[in-house]
């Protein structure tokens, strides 16, 4: 029996166990393209998360679509945070961030700074004794408090030079009946 030119003859040997073959990745990682309006110093409106509706100052663009922002904490209670660039609206207001300490910003920009602490696994005894202990409030790292104060001190000094900017940052954003965000100019 002859085979056609394009056909392959079936193998008589089949392995007992199939060897794992890696699937080809069809997606490639592309660098994030930020909107032109997202420049350091721009005042942003947060659209989601714990601080949604708050106005914050953009400090730096980080990797993978993340922005480093702050309230400043003294003005509206928003600490140094990382926010996805898709969940912000850029406004026309801006603040000069050239006088910020770059050493502090470099430290805060690293992923290790934002890594969570590993939790210890609870044993069987701890599970049955759960009613006896009250949950303790987690203390904030003193390094984070110092970094926040350093950034806030420089930002508040430049914010106070512009009239009404501190009040603008302190006011939260919300929509009322009949307001259409796609028709607004921020």
């Amino acid at each position: 029996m002859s085979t056609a030119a394009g056909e392959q003859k079936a193998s008589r040997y089949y392995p007992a166990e199939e060897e794992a073959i890696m699937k080809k990745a069809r997606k490639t990682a592309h660098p994030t393209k930020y909107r032109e309006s997202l420049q350091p110093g721009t005042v942003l409106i947060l659209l989601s998360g714990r601080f949604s509706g708050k106005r914050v100052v953009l400090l730096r663009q980080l990797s993978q679509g993340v922005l480093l922002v702050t309230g400043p904490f003294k003005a509206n209670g928003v600490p140094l945070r990382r926010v996805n660039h898709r969940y912000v609206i850029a406004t026309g207001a801006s603040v000069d961030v050239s006088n910020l300490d770059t050493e502090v910003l470099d430290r805060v920009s690293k992923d290790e700074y934002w890594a969570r602490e590993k939790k210890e696994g609870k044993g069987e005894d701890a599970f049955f004794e759960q009613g006896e202990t009250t949950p303790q409030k987690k203390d904030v790292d003193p390094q984070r408090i110092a970094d926040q104060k350093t950034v806030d001190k420089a930002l508040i000094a430049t914010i106070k030079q512009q009239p009404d900017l501190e009040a603008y940052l302190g006011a939260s954003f919300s929509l009322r009946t009949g307001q259409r965000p796609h028709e607004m100019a921020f």
Side-chain angles (χ1 to χ4, degrees):
M1 199 168 163
S2 65
T3 59
E7 287 184 34
Q8 290 259 342
K9 191 173 181 182
S11 172
R12 291 184 180 207
Y13 166 74
Y14 295 100
E17 293 180 14
E18 292 186 21
E19 296 176 13
I21 301 171
M22 295 292 288
K23 289 185 176 182
K24 292 182 181 177
R26 290 184 173 88
K27 295 182 181 177
T28 57
H30 297 291
T32 305
K33 290 181 83 173
Y34 291 100
R35 288 172 270 164
E36 290 180 19
S37 57
L38 298 178
Q39 298 299 321
T42 306
V43 175
L44 309 174
I45 299 170
L46 298 180
L47 298 178
S48 68
R50 179 177 173 199
F51 299 103
S52 60
K54 296 278 189 175
R55 294 181 172 101
V56 294
V57 178
L58 172 62
L59 301 178
R60 192 177 271 184
Q61 297 174 348
L62 305 180
S63 62
Q64 300 170 346
V66 184
L67 305 171
L68 180 65
V69 299
T70 186
F73 188 78
K74 196 171 183 181
N76 59 12
V78 181
L80 282 165
R81 290 180 66 83
R82 293 188 306 177
V83 179
N84 191 315
H85 74 108
R86 293 179 180 260
Y87 299 109
V88 297
I89 297 175
T91 65
S94 63
V95 178
D96 180 31
V97 291
S98 61
N99 60 347
L100 293 178
D101 187 4
T102 55
E103 182 181 320
V104 172
L105 288 181
D106 290 340
R107 180 174 51 246
V108 173
S109 298
K110 294 180 182 166
D111 287 337
E112 297 86 43
Y113 187 86
W114 302 100
R116 293 186 180 189
E117 296 175 7
K118 300 268 185 187
K119 287 187 177 181
E120 323 168 341
K122 290 186 177 180
E124 190 175 304
D125 297 333
F127 178 76
F128 290 111
E129 295 173 6
Q130 67 186 9
E132 297 175 15
T133 59
T134 57
Q136 296 175 351
K137 188 174 180 184
K138 191 172 78 171
D139 293 332
V140 180
D141 184 20
Q143 179 65 47
R144 287 189 178 222
I145 295 171
D147 291 342
Q148 183 71 55
K149 286 184 179 179
T150 305
V151 171
D152 277 5
K153 186 177 180 185
L155 262 181
I156 292 287
T158 57
I159 287 171
K160 287 192 175 186
Q161 293 174 354
Q162 298 182 11
D164 299 330
L165 186 58
E166 190 171 9
Y168 178 70
L169 289 171
S172 60
F173 173 81
S174 64
L175 294 173
R176 291 174 192 82
T177 308
Q179 291 182 326
R180 297 183 173 95
H182 61 281
E183 295 176 351
M184 293 181 171
F186 295 100

